[in-house]
Amino acid sequence: QYAYWMIVNYREAYGMHLTNGILFNHESPRRGPTFVTRKITRAVCRISKGLQDILFLGNIDSQRDWGHARDYVKGMWLMVQRDEPEDFVLATNECHSVREFVEKAFEAVDMKIKWTGEKGSVDEVGVDASDESRALVKIDPQYFRPTEVDLLIGDPAKAKKLLGWEPEITFEALVTEMMEEDMKLVEAGDLMNKRIIMSAWRRATWNTWNRTVHANLGLARTRGRRGQDPSFTTPAAVPAAGPVMKTRFDHREAANYPCAWLVVEWSGGGGWLHGPLSKQRPIDGRTGPRCTTVDVARCGIEREER
């Protein structure tokens, strides 16, 4: 509200060409993996390849007005082409539930979801319709929002009338495109969005994780090199007499929950040391063989998880 009225005030007071664009949910394959749409498509692709067992969600009956970011960028461009600035809403004027998004995603990999248990409860489970003993989707209360908005829908009538804008990409086409792109990443072995990893890595300060890691390993604090790509195994600077240590991101350990884990390997102590790059904990409490879960770094990744 503050930003909206600041735009209006400056436009009216100083004659500046300023426009408020109120955009409802717009998705694409570039969406961050911690947002529910991308969380679903990534998980379904992994499940179809045998890399993940279950997708955990919260309120699957909340409804959203989902459009494609490509349409919305075009709408933003049209807004600023006008001689007289005005405020516009961009939306599809259609609602689809998280449940429907899940179903469409599984259909894209030739799998059908059958819902069992009491609808809308934590006991509801999505199973493989061809093998009902195989659970694919479960409800986890930790993804429930205390201030959940059950229904969001926008009216783009003004944008259609004055800009000639209307969404061209359907909900089904959006889900299909996101699934196709995530499947390419999974098949190529790139199970995390590299851009998101880099952002998370840079926000997790070297000082924070160095201090925690070395406190746990009994090593002297060292300073890592800035700008390293975490998608590759890179040696960390350690005392010459200390054990060999290297850092990397373990994607397989993040199979059942939407967060990246920093993995530290060393030769002297044996085993791995894991730390989450968000406050998210493993859903099933699993830490993997010879692993200890500690808070190595908390980078505060923005999340819209359900």
Side-chain angles (χ1 to χ4, degrees), residues 264-284:
V264 181
E265 301 179 42
W266 70 98
S267 60
W272 297 344
L273 185 68
H274 285 226
L277 288 185
S278 75
K279 296 180 181 179
Q280 179 62 38
R281 286 293 188 181
I283 298 298
D284 55 6

Side-chain angles (χ1 to χ4, degrees), residues 66-293:
W66 276 308
H68 198 296
R70 192 156 55 240
D71 285 335
Y72 287 61
V73 170
K74 180 180 178 181
M76 289 187 284
W77 181 83
L78 289 171
M79 289 180 200
V80 296
Q81 306 310 306
R82 286 177 53 83
D83 293 331
E84 294 296 325
E86 294 191 48
D87 303 326
F88 295 93
V89 171
L90 299 185
T92 68
N93 199 33
E94 291 182 10
C95 262
H96 300 276
S97 66
V98 176
R99 181 191 301 271
E100 185 179 354
F101 198 105
V102 171
E103 292 170 350
K104 294 294 183 182
F106 274 104
E107 287 177 10
V109 290
D110 297 323
M111 297 176 69
K112 185 176 181 180
I113 285 285
K114 178 180 179 181
W115 301 100
T116 63
E118 183 182 353
K119 184 176 181 179
S121 73
V122 294
D123 297 322
E124 188 172 17
V125 177
V127 300
D128 187 342
S130 63
D131 179 8
E132 296 187 19
S133 65
R134 183 188 180 191
L136 300 174
V137 182
K138 289 186 177 181
I139 307 301
D140 193 310
Q142 71 174 315
Y143 292 126
F144 289 157
R145 293 174 173 176
T147 56
E148 176 70 277
V149 178
D150 292 326
L151 174 65
L152 283 177
I153 187 169
D155 181 3
K158 181 179 178 181
K160 182 177 181 179
K161 178 180 178 181
L162 300 182
L163 303 177
W165 179 89
E166 55 185 334
E168 298 176 0
I169 302 172
T170 64
F171 172 75
E172 291 75 13
L174 166 65
V175 178
T176 299
E177 181 182 334
M178 292 182 69
M179 285 295 297
E180 289 174 349
E181 294 303 314
D182 269 336
M183 186 62 76
K184 292 176 185 177
L185 291 176
V186 170
E187 292 176 345
D190 183 9
L191 307 182
M192 291 283 288
N193 184 305
K194 188 172 180 180
R195 182 179 289 106
I196 298 300
I197 291 178
M198 286 300 295
S199 175
W201 180 265
R202 286 166 178 162
R203 280 189 284 175
T205 63
W206 285 97
N207 283 343
T208 299
W209 75 261
N210 262 329
R211 180 166 58 251
T212 310
V213 168
H214 288 85
N216 279 277
L217 299 183
L219 299 176
R221 286 179 60 188
T222 62
R223 183 177 178 80
R225 288 175 287 176
R226 297 179 62 187
Q228 290 176 320
D229 187 338
S231 62
F232 297 93
T233 299
T234 55
V238 296
V244 175
M245 187 174 72
K246 54 187 177 180
T247 60
R248 63 184 173 83
F249 274 83
D250 186 339
H251 309 298
R252 186 171 294 275
E253 284 302 315
N256 286 336
Y257 40 94
C259 69
W261 285 72
L262 176 68
V263 180
V264 181
E265 301 179 42
W266 70 98
S267 60
W272 297 344
L273 185 68
H274 285 226
L277 288 185
S278 75
K279 296 180 181 179
Q280 179 62 38
R281 286 293 188 181
I283 298 298
D284 55 6
R286 178 176 56 85
T287 56
R290 301 184 295 112
C291 297
T292 302
T293 303

